[in-house]
Amino acid sequence: MTTVRIIGAPTDYGANRRGVDMGPSAIRYAGLADQLVSAGIDPVDAGDLAVPRAEERDPDADTPSEWNAKFLRETADVCGRLAEEVSDTLADGSVPLALGGDHSIAIGSLSGSARGAEIGAVWFDAHADLNTPTTTPSGNVHGMPLAAALGIGAFADTEWANAPGLSPENVALVGLRSVDGAEADLLRERDFSVYTMSDIDERGITTVTEEAMATAAADVDGVHVSLDLDWLDPNEAPGVGTPVRGGVTYREAHSAMEIVDETGSLRSMELVEVNPTLDQHNETAELATELAASAFGKRVL
């Protein structure tokens, strides 16, 4: 039986709206462990990383003057500790499942998953998350984790943020519909595989996800799956900080996660951007638990 180790990273340092730090609690309360058991998984909950409140910290401390990146010191600390947890989990033969928190935690997940290994990544998200501290329009690090892990731009040689075992040719972004100008330039210039919502409409979620997983899994040790709940349409997942209309449906999301499982290449995963203060009856957290179960093998029959 596969063991999945649940690691909470209750941070809202990277977001522009408070409340997402309660995401791990909301996801657990929604029945994550029971959903994983129903998928034939043995869940082990490692609890939450200790994360000081953003209100108690200076968002500009230790940030280079030419950078626009809020709470960079705190993000580095949390992601460094998460990377250790993810790496140790893999060394023990278990699969790490990180719970955000905002999407900046992916810096730690990717770094830990890529430690001593070559990995791919599939980014299920409305956003590309390829901004850097010198291109970001907001300074919010939850829009930068993929750039950070790949050492792009200002993140070059930033050891705590980089995942050397991850290369752009093994990264696939699925469901994009909100991309900044600098990110669009990177997506055109680099070897990313990019699937917008228009691609999903035209080709179907099954074909797109199969291609994305195949690209990410080519000649690597495994695939990290990053699932931002704003990938779904806000009508399906209202409890997110940066909703964008026109996302995937409930059924499309489950189909995609079922394909993730069927490939047999899932190495690590995270669920991010569940904000219970913006949710309705905890339905976004409940959806997160269901999608995790599908990614780990739960089926109707």
Side-chain angles (χ1 to χ4, degrees), residues 4 9 22 32 47 53 66 87 114 124 153 167 197 232 244 260 263 276:
V4 169
M22 294 185 283
L32 176 62
R53 296 175 60 202
E66 68 275 15
S87 177
F124 294 101
S167 300
M197 282 306 304
L232 286 97
V244 184
V260 165
T263 64

Side-chain angles (χ1 to χ4, degrees), residues 123-184:
W123 214 254
F124 294 101
D125 200 331
H127 309 89
D129 294 342
L130 282 167
N131 276 306
T132 73
T134 56
T135 66
T136 174
S138 69
N140 297 319
V141 182
H142 73 167
M144 308 181 199
L146 194 50
L150 291 166
I152 291 173
F155 285 115
D157 302 318
T158 306
E159 186 175 352
W160 69 267
N162 299 161
L166 177 68
S167 300
E169 58 264 29
N170 289 112
V171 174
L173 301 95
V174 178
L176 297 188
R177 56 193 189 278
S178 178
V179 180
D180 294 325
E183 294 178 307

Side-chain angles (χ1 to χ4, degrees), residues 92-104:
D92 290 340
S94 300
V95 180
L97 174 59
L99 307 180
D102 68 77
H103 214 157
S104 68

Side-chain angles (χ1 to χ4, degrees), residues 20-75:
V20 73
D21 57 321
M22 294 185 283
S25 293
I27 295 169
R28 289 187 177 99
Y29 181 76
L32 176 62
D34 289 342
Q35 285 282 1
L36 292 175
V37 168
S38 71
I41 296 298
D42 176 25
V44 174
D45 199 327
D48 287 346
L49 300 174
V51 179
R53 296 175 60 202
E55 291 81 1
E56 301 170 352
R57 298 300 177 108
D58 177 1
D60 299 315
D62 293 347
T63 299
S65 59
E66 68 275 15
W67 284 24
N68 181 17
K70 301 170 187 174
F71 298 106
L72 198 65
R73 176 183 61 183
E74 289 76 13
T75 300

Side-chain angles (χ1 to χ4, degrees), residues 244-257:
V244 184
R245 289 189 295 178
V248 299
T249 66
Y250 176 90
R251 186 56 239 165
E252 285 174 327
H254 272 288
S255 295
M257 292 303 104

